[in-house]
Amino acid sequence: DAGVIQSPRHEVTEMGQEVTLRCKPISGHNSLFWYRQTMMRGLELLIYFNNNVPIDDSGMPEDRFSAKMPNASFSTLKIQPSEPRDSAVYFCASSFSGKEETQYFGPGTRLLVL
Amino acid sequence: GNSVTQMEGPVTLSEEAFLTINCTYTATGYPSLFWYVQYPGEGLQLLLKATKADDKGSNKGFEATYRKETTSFHLEKGSVQVSDSAVYFCAIDNNDMRFGAGTRLTVKP
């Protein structure tokens, strides 16, 4: 298995633009997680899906952020409109079932909003 | 709410030195505790975990013991290698996952 796949690896955009980050979890994994890593706040869990259903989105910073998981092999994290303070590395992770199982992380998407 | 405080970095050690990265937490109930590692250019990987008091997680020569009396989960390794250079994150999960800020470790030959 190729592991968790994220795209793009790097994204530079201007303030106000829409940004879409993509994730393909490991095949057979039922849980998917989106994290954000910043120097100020470290690593934060944004949202967690189980069987394609959002279980906990309490970490989503505000309405500008939305995440979807239309099927078991694909998820998106969208920011609209983007702001400079959204600049961070966004990680996607998947696990076989739930948060207690080992989470396997993707390489991350480095986002810079100018 | 839950919170995690871990030792600020960066930490620089010589090869074969002893490593300790401190981690303390604040949480209600009995959280599960984790150490994650991020090697240069890679995503996060689970290094070890402990789910109840006095449990010891271990992997790749690293160890951490769940100490409820001191609310700590310090990461230790007896003899570090250059390949251990990475950023280490302490995390807790009590249905409210929280991560520490990360500690960058550099091991020099």
Side-chain angles (χ1 to χ4, degrees), chain A residues 41-96:
Chain A
R41 288 200 289 269
L43 197 64
E44 304 169 280
L45 176 63
L46 301 179
I47 188 169
Y48 152 49
F49 292 87
N50 199 43
N51 292 320
N52 312 337
V53 176
I55 303 300
D56 180 5
D57 65 354
S58 59
M60 294 287 265
E62 49 198 272
D63 292 344
R64 297 185 297 106
F65 285 70
S66 62
K68 294 182 180 179
M69 192 164 185
N71 57 62
S73 59
F74 183 65
S75 176
T76 59
L77 178 67
K78 188 174 292 187
I79 308 172
Q80 167 63 20
S82 58
E83 296 182 2
R85 60 193 170 117
D86 301 329
S87 299
V89 182
Y90 291 81
F91 288 100
C92 177
S94 70
S95 74
F96 179 71

Side-chain angles (χ1 to χ4, degrees), chain B residues 12-18 79-84 106-109:
Chain B
T12 302
L13 296 173
S14 297
E15 208 164 24
E16 298 184 4
F18 184 86
S79 176
V80 293
Q81 305 300 313
V82 173
S83 57
D84 294 326
T106 301
V107 180
K108 297 188 173 182

Side-chain angles (χ1 to χ4, degrees), chain A residues 9 35 37 42-45 56 91 99-103 105-107, chain B residues 32 36 38 41 43-44 46 49 51 89 93 95-97 99-101:
Chain A
R9 291 295 307 274
Y35 294 87
Q37 181 181 333
L43 197 64
E44 304 169 280
L45 176 63
D56 180 5
F91 288 100
K99 285 194 281 189
E100 287 304 315
E101 296 288 331
T102 299
Q103 295 182 34
F105 284 77
Chain B
S32 295
Y36 285 86
Q38 182 180 7
L44 289 169
L46 178 65
K49 67 179 181 182
T51 57
F89 293 87
D93 188 7
N95 290 320
D96 178 20
M97 195 158 196
F99 290 82

Side-chain angles (χ1 to χ4, degrees), chain B residues 4 7 10 30 38 44 50 52 70 74 77 79 85 88 92 100:
Chain B
V4 178
M7 191 168 85
Y30 300 89
Q38 182 180 7
L44 289 169
K52 61 183 188 293
T70 55
H74 304 322
K77 186 172 185 181
S79 176
S85 298
Y88 293 83
I92 65 172

